[in-house]
Amino acid sequence: MIDLRSDTVTKPGQAMREAIATAEVGDDVLAEDPTVNLLQDKMASLLGKGAGLFVPSGTMANQVAIKTHIQPGDEILIDQDAHIYYYECAATAVIAGGQFQCLQGDNGILSPEAIAAAIRPQDIHQPPSRLICLENTHNRGGGTIYTVERTTSITKLVSDQNMKVHLDGARLFNAALAAGTTVQELSRGVDSVSICFSKGLGAPVGSVLCGSADFIAEARRFRKMFGGGMRQVGILAAACLYALDHHVERLQEDHENARRLAFELAQMDGIQVEPEQVVTNIVIFDVAGTGLDADSFVDKLSTEGVLMIPFGPTTVRAVTHMDVSTADIDRALEIIARFLKSSSR
Ligand SMILES: *Cc1c(COP(=O)(O)O)cnc(C)c1O
């Protein structure tokens, strides 16, 4: 099977499992797990923030951040395709009591102008706009990126508005690589940032949320409230530390494989994709021209040993990661080409 459904499907290899097996541990609810503390400190300094907090998932990182930033009845400005809005089970409505105002980004990327126009005036009838959520890279946007310039133009805009900015940086290392910069530059001026280790970095579990020391102290209380206080969890943090040391630079290979996939798909009859827009590890393409909808395209492909996910009525998403090689991509392309030829006959 060539599994391109998501970069979450990677499995820990032997060396990562050894790091897990030999991790020093303690009770992390008491802040006594040395491996968790090391990971949190490393991430805080990498991102240029005061402190970090290890959490089980990217969703919990985002929702703890939002709960810490807002009060019930506050409004959050967000792209309409953002993970926080689209894929987190309305957690923000249930837990923090926030209301979203959804904006339409350019493949998920918001402009400072659109945000400025959406910020509410002070008016007794209207909810106060309190938080902006950015997503870098943008998942449903096709792995698109916020540049440093775009991010700082947004953080500057809100710094004098009594508003905060949370960055969902599930794939921020991919973004830094594609933008030719660092995760710290891409986080400058944001009040909180979360990074996933269970995506392209290849760890089995874990995200880290970073922000000021005061923010993280408060977030730690909400993590406990959400049931995310874990005990000898250094065994998981050890996998994340291993990923940080060994799996960041290799993300470049995933980006090259995604570009290869997109360029070759663009040559195929019936498939629509803009390869220049593929800058990280996500490829979204349209199969309307093949006469199939996304569900049947994906179903048929799966019987040939290539897994992708339907992303819209006629759009399909493929994500590259460390468990698919360039040879796998070429084999997947051969299979797709053969399958398109046979279905057009
Ligand atoms: C995967 C992802 C998350 C978090 O997902 P979990 O499955 O909860 O770890 C958050 N934001 C984005 C953009 C993602 O792609």
Side-chain angles (χ1 to χ4, degrees):
M1 280 290 175
I2 302 170
D3 194 346
L4 297 166
R5 288 172 302 168
S6 175
D7 47 7
T8 56
V9 301
T10 58
K11 293 176 184 164
Q14 199 51 43
M16 183 180 276
R17 285 167 190 262
E18 269 157 33
I20 291 170
T22 55
E24 265 187 73
V25 296
D27 189 333
D28 182 49
V29 171
L30 305 178
E32 286 174 5
D33 188 301
T35 310
V36 170
N37 290 341
L38 179 61
L39 176 66
Q40 290 174 166
D41 291 349
K42 269 200 173 184
M43 290 307 291
S45 88
L46 257 181
L47 292 165
K49 303 297 176 199
L53 185 68
F54 187 57
V55 291
S57 68
T59 298
M60 193 185 285
N62 286 332
Q63 297 302 328
V64 163
I66 293 170
K67 179 73 179 161
T68 310
H69 283 307
I70 72 161
Q71 295 299 315
D74 285 347
E75 184 178 69
I76 301 159
L77 308 185
I78 195 164
D79 171 71
Q80 62 183 6
D81 278 314
H83 193 281
I84 288 172
Y85 175 69
Y86 204 94
Y87 285 127
E88 299 189 9
C89 314
T92 302
V94 176
I95 302 170
Q99 168 169 287
F100 288 114
Q101 184 185 163
C102 289
L103 310 179
Q104 183 168 4
D106 178 11
N107 288 315
I109 307 301
L110 297 173
S111 69
E113 295 75 24
I115 291 171
I119 295 172
R120 305 267 190 171
Q122 279 198 13
D123 174 343
I124 194 175
H125 302 88
Q126 299 193 32
S129 302
R130 252 340 155 219
L131 181 65
I132 295 168
C133 290
L134 307 179
E135 184 173 315
N136 200 10
T137 69
H138 199 286
N139 184 342
R140 288 187 60 81
T144 46
I145 58 173
Y146 279 90
T147 59
V148 174
E149 295 69 37
R150 179 61 66 97
T151 305
T152 46
S153 65
I154 292 169
T155 56
K156 276 200 187 121
L157 176 76
V158 301
S159 59
D160 48 324
Q161 299 261 8
N162 192 24
M163 291 179 74
K164 304 281 188 208
V165 179
H166 171 66
L167 171 58
D168 176 354
R171 297 185 181 82
L172 196 62
F173 282 107
N174 297 80
L177 203 59
T181 184
T182 61
V183 287
Q184 181 158 151
E185 287 301 319
L186 288 174
S187 310
R188 199 176 289 288
V190 308
D191 299 281
S192 57
V193 47
S194 56
I195 290 195
C196 276
F197 287 88
S198 56
K199 301 281 166 78
L201 295 181
V205 180
S207 282
V208 172
L209 173 66
C210 289
S212 70
D214 285 349
F215 171 85
I216 291 296
E218 189 70 358
R220 177 174 277 276
R221 197 164 66 82
F222 288 125
R223 182 186 69 172
K224 191 74 181 77
M225 182 190 284
F226 292 10
M230 300 182 287
R231 304 295 176 171
Q232 286 72 31
V233 75
I235 54 172
L236 296 180
C240 300
L241 283 166
Y242 182 89
L244 208 51
D245 287 341
H246 297 93
H247 294 166
V248 172
E249 277 159 32
R250 64 150 308 287
L251 291 172
Q252 186 64 37
E253 295 169 37
D254 299 343
H255 295 186
E256 283 159 15
N257 282 337
R259 217 166 299 142
R260 187 182 189 92
L261 183 65
F263 269 99
E264 294 299 324
L265 283 174
Q267 310 299 317
M268 295 185 189
D269 281 346
I271 292 185
Q272 189 80 46
V273 59
E274 306 288 342
E276 316 70 49
Q277 285 183 11
V278 175
V279 293
T280 60
N281 69 331
I282 300 177
V283 182
I284 296 176
F285 58 97
D286 196 301
V287 298
T290 66
L292 296 170
D293 62 15
D295 284 339
S296 29
F297 182 91
V298 166
D299 272 356
K300 292 195 171 171
L301 207 55
S302 75
T303 65
E304 308 280 336
V306 179
L307 305 183
M308 297 182 179
I309 61 169
F311 224 49
T314 60
T315 52
V316 173
R317 190 190 74 171
V319 185
T320 57
H321 53 77
M322 58 187 291
D323 290 356
V324 288
S325 63
T326 306
D328 289 332
I329 295 296
D330 287 344
R331 205 149 59 84
L333 283 162
E334 269 168 40
I335 290 169
I336 297 166
R338 182 153 34 86
F339 147 77
L340 288 179
K341 221 175 265 166
S342 68
S343 65
S344 68
R345 255 189 283 130

